[in-house]
């Protein structure tokens, strides 16, 4: 077991670094090479690396660290400033996929209940891919970068609530109205409100005294170690209240971004993350590609990939333009919202568990999700270059 994991990690690290070098040479985002490394090494082609439980754990830590770093590198004041555009982008980025993907699914003779759930799946956004590309082009700490980050977080929270509603109405007893009205609403919203209230109180009263205390401890890399502890604590807490673990990691990174130890923590966590965990995360997405799905569901995959790409791109663009971002900024935001990645993969897995998605359709949807994830970095690159003076 350990030897298999070590061999997989060796292949992943060498493969992603070589792919990243090649991508730099030909002028495309390095994350594309890392995603394609997963396709090459995985079951779709060479079959040298399998998506085992151990790889999944490394990948999950990778995406948590990636979003923690995104928080550390963000500007809280800018995120507040661009809250309205973020909400508008998230709103259009959820509505358009819900309408068009659900309608398309029904045209493929998928019953309405399952079709609506497919719309929910493609409403999700995975900002982790976009974060990597925006960082690569030094656009993370800009208006468009802040809106993309903010919209993706709002999108994640909203889609989690929609999925919770969907699951409850599927499994709930319609006769127990009072339970649905009180208990269910508390389960749906109460814990999340408490989480953000607790985060606010922690930042206001506890964080700075705690960091001052940590600074007095004489130990190797104590600030970085404590930063990681906070990252993992808030990732666990956000997962416990029914949200994605990356939301907690992002927000605690955002709070730490205002502390004087920010740059030391960011540098040290980057070394750990980009050496091992983040490459495993990107490769793990490519490992889910199954070429067999193309045989039976070719047309569905093509239609879903096109619609999934266009609805987020257009939704992000419209939401940005309505809140007075310029055309190029709006295009970058729209492109940044296209990626579905791990968020959509988690929801599609839930759909399979709920019996809404059969095995063949599951594979086809996973392929469509990964294809949109591959397109997103290329669209961001195109949008950035389009707005850059020659």
């Amino acid at each position: 077991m350990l030897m298999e994991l070590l061999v997989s990690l060796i292949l992943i690290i060498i493969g992603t670094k070589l792919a990243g070098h090649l991508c730099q040479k030909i002028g495309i985002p390095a994350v594309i090479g890392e995603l394609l490394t997963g396709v090459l090494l995985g079951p779709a082609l060479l079959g040298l690396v399998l998506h085992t439980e151990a790889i999944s754990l490394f990948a999950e830590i990778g995406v948590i660290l990636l979003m923690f770093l995104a928080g550390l590198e963000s500007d809280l004041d800018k995120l507040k400033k661009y809250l309205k555009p973020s909400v508008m982008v998230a709103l259009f980025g959820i509505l358009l996929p819900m309408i068009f993907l659900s309608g398309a699914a029904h045209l493929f003779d998928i019953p309405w209940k399952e079709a609506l759930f497919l719309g929910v799946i493609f409403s999700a956004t995975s900002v982790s891919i976009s974060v990597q590309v925006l960082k690569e082009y030094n656009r993370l700490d800009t208006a468009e970068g802040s809106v993309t980050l903010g919209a993706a977080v709002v999108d994640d929270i909203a889609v989690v609530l929609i999925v919770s509603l969907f699951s409850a109405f599927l499994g709930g007893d319609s006769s127990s109205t009072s339970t649905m009205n009180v208990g269910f609403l508390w389960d749906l919203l109460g814990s999340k409100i408490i989480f953000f209230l607790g985060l606010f109180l922690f930042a206001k009263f506890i964080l700075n005294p705690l960091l001052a205390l940590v600074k007095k401890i004489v130990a190797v890399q104590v600030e970085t170690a404590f930063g990681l502890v906070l990252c993992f604590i808030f990732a666990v807490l956000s997962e416990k209240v029914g949200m994605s673990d990356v939301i907690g990691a992002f927000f605690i990174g955002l709070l730490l971004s205002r502390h004087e130890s920010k740059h030391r923590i960011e540098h040290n966590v980057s070394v750990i993350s980009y050496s091992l965990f983040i490459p495993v995360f990107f490769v793990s997405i490519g490992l889910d590609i199954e070429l067999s799905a193309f045989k039976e569901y070719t047309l569905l995959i093509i239609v879903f990939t096109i619609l999934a790409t266009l609805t987020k791109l257009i939704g992000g663009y419209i939401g940005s333009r309505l809140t007075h971002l310029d055309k190029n900024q709006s295009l970058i935001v729209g492109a940044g919202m296209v990626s579905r990645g791990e968020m959509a993969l988690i929801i599609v897995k839930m759909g399979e568990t709920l019996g809404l998605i059969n095995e063949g359709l599951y594979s086809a949807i996973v392929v469509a999700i990964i294809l949109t994830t591959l397109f997103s970095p290329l669209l961001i690159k195109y949008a950035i270059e389009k707005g850059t003076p020659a």
Side-chain angles (χ1 to χ4, degrees), residues 72 256-257 259-268:
L72 280 169
L256 285 170
S257 71
H259 195 263
E260 55 92 17
S261 62
K262 162 195 168 173
H263 295 294
R264 293 188 295 276
I265 295 172
E266 182 189 326
H267 174 265
N268 294 330

Side-chain angles (χ1 to χ4, degrees), residues 11-332:
L11 292 170
I12 288 169
I13 293 168
I14 293 173
T16 52
K17 297 312 171 189
L18 290 176
H21 174 75
L22 181 60
C23 288
Q24 292 289 340
K25 288 290 184 184
I26 61 178
I28 63 173
V31 69
I32 288 284
E34 296 178 329
L35 292 165
L36 290 176
T37 299
V39 179
L40 176 66
L41 294 176
L45 293 173
L46 299 179
L48 297 174
V49 177
L50 301 178
H51 203 157
T52 61
E53 187 177 349
I55 292 294
S56 293
L57 289 172
F58 272 73
E60 187 63 25
I61 293 170
V63 72
I64 288 169
L65 292 175
L66 180 62
M67 292 309 295
F68 178 58
L69 287 168
L72 280 169
E73 294 172 27
S74 297
D75 185 327
L76 183 57
D77 293 327
K78 274 189 180 174
L79 285 172
K80 287 178 183 175
K81 179 182 176 182
Y82 293 110
L83 179 61
K84 183 181 175 182
S86 297
V87 172
M88 288 295 286
V89 168
L91 178 65
F92 279 96
I94 290 171
L95 285 176
L96 293 189
M98 281 283 289
I99 294 166
F100 286 96
L101 271 298
S102 297
H106 192 61
L107 291 176
F108 280 95
D109 296 323
I110 297 171
W112 270 116
K113 185 168 69 175
E114 288 85 344
L116 284 171
F117 192 80
L118 290 180
V120 174
I121 291 168
F122 285 98
S123 296
T125 290
S126 171
V127 74
S128 51
I129 307 292
S130 304
V131 161
Q132 182 68 10
V133 183
L134 290 169
K135 281 173 67 175
E136 194 173 326
Y137 288 93
N138 298 313
R139 292 297 187 102
L140 190 59
D141 191 23
T142 59
E144 56 272 28
S146 298
V147 172
T148 303
L149 264 174
V153 171
V154 173
D155 186 299
D156 273 3
I157 295 169
V159 170
V160 164
L161 295 177
I162 293 168
V163 172
S164 302
L165 277 169
F166 213 99
S167 303
F169 283 119
L170 280 178
D173 180 4
S174 57
S175 62
S176 53
T177 310
S178 60
T179 304
M180 286 294 287
N181 285 345
V182 182
F184 169 66
L185 283 177
W186 173 252
D187 288 341
L188 186 66
L189 296 174
S191 57
K192 295 165 184 65
I193 292 169
I194 289 172
F195 172 80
F196 284 109
L197 179 62
L199 192 67
F200 170 77
L201 294 173
F202 179 81
K204 191 169 181 63
F205 299 110
I206 300 172
L207 182 59
N208 285 333
L210 202 55
L211 289 170
L213 183 63
V214 166
K215 205 169 181 182
K216 295 177 182 177
I217 298 172
V218 181
V220 178
Q221 299 293 353
V222 65
E223 286 178 318
T224 302
F226 186 71
L228 287 171
V229 166
L230 286 178
C231 168
F232 295 147
I233 286 173
F234 280 91
V236 169
L237 290 175
S238 62
E239 181 84 20
K240 288 288 185 185
V241 300
M243 296 187 296
S244 169
D245 46 23
V246 301
I247 292 174
F250 171 74
F251 275 106
I252 193 61
L254 192 60
L255 296 177
L256 285 170
S257 71
R258 304 191 116 181
H259 195 263
E260 55 92 17
S261 62
K262 162 195 168 173
H263 295 294
R264 293 188 295 276
I265 295 172
E266 182 189 326
H267 174 265
N268 294 330
V269 173
S270 292
V271 172
I272 299 166
S273 305
Y274 284 101
S275 299
L276 177 59
F277 293 103
I278 291 173
V280 176
F281 163 64
F282 289 129
V283 166
S284 72
I285 294 175
L287 293 177
D288 284 322
I289 280 273
E290 289 186 23
L291 298 182
S292 59
F294 282 101
K295 295 175 184 176
E296 189 178 352
Y297 293 97
T298 305
L299 183 59
L300 183 144
I301 290 170
I302 292 169
V303 170
F304 273 36
T305 301
I306 292 170
L307 284 177
T309 302
L310 290 178
T311 50
K312 280 288 186 184
L313 183 66
I314 294 168
Y317 184 86
I318 292 171
S320 300
R321 291 293 286 151
L322 287 175
T323 48
H324 310 300
L325 267 68
D326 67 35
K327 290 181 180 179
N328 184 249
Q329 288 174 321
S330 301
L331 187 61
I332 293 170

